[in-house]
Amino acid sequence: MTDKNIVLIGFMGTGKSTVGKILAKRMNRTWIDIDQRIEEQQKRKISEIFEKDGEAAFRAMEKAMVREVAIGRSLVITTGGGAVVDEENLRHLKNSGLLIALTAAPETIYQRVKKTTHRPMLKSGDLMTEIKTLLGKRAPFYAKADMTFTTDKKTATQVAIEILGVLQKDEEFEFGKDWF
Ligand code: S3P
């Protein structure tokens, strides 16, 4: 099997981390979540980093972590929603493996993120308006993925199985019969 990483990108609330965790388990790969790594390294939450140091400081940490993690092989990497807005991050991740975008309609994202309090990018105003505005700005970056999966009305397991089904047909990712 190829040692190319599998990299999940996409907007907040598209299920990147949950799907990535399932994918890694089924493919017997190590799962690395960039945001989780940053929180471990900094010994504080992303929301606290934003609050105390600002977004620019967070983006610098994110950039350093992307660079570090992208060196690894045979990983399932999950990214924060803003990671691929940076050209250098996008290049490192793309060079390290297969870029898979998860998408969802603004309404779906709204339902998924409305109860969460840990997302500093969605804190200032009307939630639906913020989602639509940011999604509009980010969509061109997510469109640079090698493949895209919609996640509306699907569970994380369903999305993971769908991805595995496509990877199974990709000759680089030899079919692992124990994936499903
Ligand atoms: C961000 C998304 C978050 C996290 C940070 C910034 C963004 O990750 O990296 O709050 O800019 O979209 P999730 O996409 O996992 O929520």
Side-chain angles (χ1 to χ4, degrees):
M1 202 204 298
T2 176
D3 65 355
K4 271 185 171 185
N5 295 325
I6 289 169
V7 185
L8 296 189
I9 66 169
F11 202 75
M12 293 167 265
T14 52
K16 301 177 297 285
S17 303
T18 320
V19 171
K21 191 176 172 179
I22 299 169
L23 273 183
K25 197 167 176 210
R26 301 222 178 191
M27 296 177 80
N28 204 15
R29 285 178 168 224
T30 302
W31 167 51
I32 295 186
D33 183 77
I34 302 275
D35 283 348
Q36 199 177 306
R37 276 283 170 109
I38 294 171
E39 290 188 338
E40 281 163 15
Q41 182 198 52
Q42 293 290 316
K43 297 188 176 61
R44 53 191 175 144
K45 294 281 169 201
I46 305 273
S47 53
E48 202 184 325
I49 299 172
F50 266 76
E51 224 167 89
K52 301 250 166 70
D53 302 351
E55 184 182 352
F58 169 74
R59 295 299 172 199
M61 292 170 196
E62 185 177 49
K63 203 176 184 114
M65 193 56 79
V66 164
R67 194 179 267 264
E68 189 182 313
V69 169
I71 294 168
R73 285 293 167 263
S74 300
L75 303 169
V76 173
I77 301 172
T78 51
T79 59
V84 293
V85 172
D86 180 276
E87 238 180 75
E88 203 178 299
N89 289 349
L90 183 68
R91 185 159 37 85
H92 282 301
L93 293 168
K94 202 153 185 155
N95 288 341
S96 94
L98 188 74
L99 225 51
I100 301 179
L102 300 187
T103 64
E107 293 71 21
T108 306
I109 292 170
Y110 178 87
Q111 291 303 327
R112 291 181 186 161
V113 305
K114 70 176 180 192
K115 288 191 204 87
T116 63
T117 54
H118 66 278
R119 289 188 164 97
M121 293 301 290
L122 299 173
K123 268 197 166 158
S124 46
D126 174 66
L127 184 57
M128 194 56 167
T129 310
E130 280 189 316
I131 291 171
K132 284 183 174 164
T133 308
L134 199 54
L135 201 51
K137 286 189 196 152
R138 300 255 178 98
F141 298 95
Y142 303 140
K144 294 183 182 174
D146 299 300
M147 45 181 90
T148 300
F149 293 83
T150 57
T151 65
D152 301 281
K153 299 193 177 77
K154 291 175 196 164
T155 65
T157 304
Q158 283 173 325
V159 176
I161 287 174
E162 213 180 297
I163 295 173
L164 290 171
V166 174
L167 294 183
Q168 176 195 346
K169 292 190 196 92
D170 188 315
E171 56 187 34
E172 279 191 307
F173 290 89
E174 284 167 30
F175 174 51
K177 58 179 180 312
D178 50 345
W179 282 3
F180 290 88

